[in-house]
């Protein structure tokens, strides 16, 4: 297949935006894959702030970071991403170049604990203020679970009405796959 699948495409976008030494955000730590990826592309002089409300996510991510010897490059925050501005200092304002959110539930975890549109929109608004010009926020929207379609609809309404003068917004996804395939919304600050 020549078309990039969803998660590889998200990483391609992040690789275009993030350079060694940059500040990045993983808004939904999950099992740690994106945190490890971001720690790799930000390098030894960069930093990743990673958020999750579930202790299992913190533990899984810490184990992956330790296995790769990347723990010093990351701050794992046991809080929802809607509290982003509480944990990301003003000294990073205008310096965050990339962020990713995998919306839905923790794979392998409690499927009743899901991300919510209100908290994600709050996090996007806080993060947008911290973004560098041409910084990118990636939303990977999984919507096939209970509550997923409501979050999807609210987020799409929000991004479709985002001021064009402030950001370029892209939607990328496969439209002929069964079972509510995930898709990406990428927000690039102008």
């Amino acid at each position: 297949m020549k078309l990039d699948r969803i998660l590889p495409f998200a990483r391609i976008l992040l690789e275009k935006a993030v350079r060694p030494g940059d500040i990045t955000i993983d808004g939904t730590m999950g099992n740690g894959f994106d945190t490890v990826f971001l720690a790799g592309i930000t390098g030894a002089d960069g930093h990743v702030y990673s958020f999750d409300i579930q202790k299992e996510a913190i533990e899984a991510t810490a184990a992956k970071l330790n296995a790769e010897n990347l723990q010093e490059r990351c701050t794992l925050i046991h809080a929802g991403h809607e509290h982003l501005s509480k944990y990301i200092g003003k000294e990073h304002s205008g310096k965050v170049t990339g962020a990713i959110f995998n919306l839905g539930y923790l794979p392998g975890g409690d499927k009743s604990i899901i991300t919510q549109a209100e908290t994600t929109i709050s996090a996007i608004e806080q993060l947008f203020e911290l973004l560098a010009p041409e910084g990118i926020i990636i939303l990977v929207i999984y919507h096939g679970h209970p509550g997923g379609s409501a979050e999807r609809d609210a987020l799409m309404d929000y991004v479709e009405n985002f001021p064009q003068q402030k950001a370029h917004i892209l939607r990328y996804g496969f439209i002929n796959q069964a079972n509510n395939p995930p898709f990406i919304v990428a927000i690039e600050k102008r």
Side-chain angles (χ1 to χ4, degrees), residues 32-44:
F33 295 106
D34 289 328
T35 300
V36 169
F37 173 75
L38 290 170
I41 62 174
T42 58

Side-chain angles (χ1 to χ4, degrees), residues 117-118 121 148-160:
E118 301 79 29
I121 290 169
S149 60
E151 181 179 33
R152 175 202 63 213
D153 293 348
L155 286 169
M156 291 309 297
D157 183 59
Y158 174 75
V159 297
E160 287 170 1

Side-chain angles (χ1 to χ4, degrees), residues 1-6 8 172-174 176-177:
M1 186 164 140
K2 302 282 186 205
L3 296 173
D4 289 307
R5 288 184 163 70
I6 296 302
Y172 179 86
F174 295 95
N176 67 336
Q177 293 180 347

Side-chain angles (χ1 to χ4, degrees), residues 36-105:
V36 169
F37 173 75
L38 290 170
I41 62 174
T42 58
D45 295 327
H47 202 78
V48 181
Y49 292 91
S50 192
F51 293 82
D52 211 293
I53 61 171
Q54 296 182 68
K55 184 178 179 188
E56 297 86 356
I58 305 283
E59 292 168 352
T61 302
K64 282 186 179 60
L65 290 169
N66 288 332
E68 299 285 331
N69 201 27
L70 297 171
Q71 62 275 18
E72 297 299 320
R73 299 180 187 183
C74 303
T75 301
L76 305 184
I77 301 163
H78 190 190
H81 49 233
E82 70 273 21
H83 301 291
L84 197 138
S85 61
K86 178 180 175 184
Y87 293 95
I88 311 297
K90 298 279 188 218
E91 70 274 11
H92 296 313
S93 184
K95 297 179 182 170
V96 175
T97 57
I100 188 163
F101 295 74
N102 279 286
L103 304 175
Y105 55 85

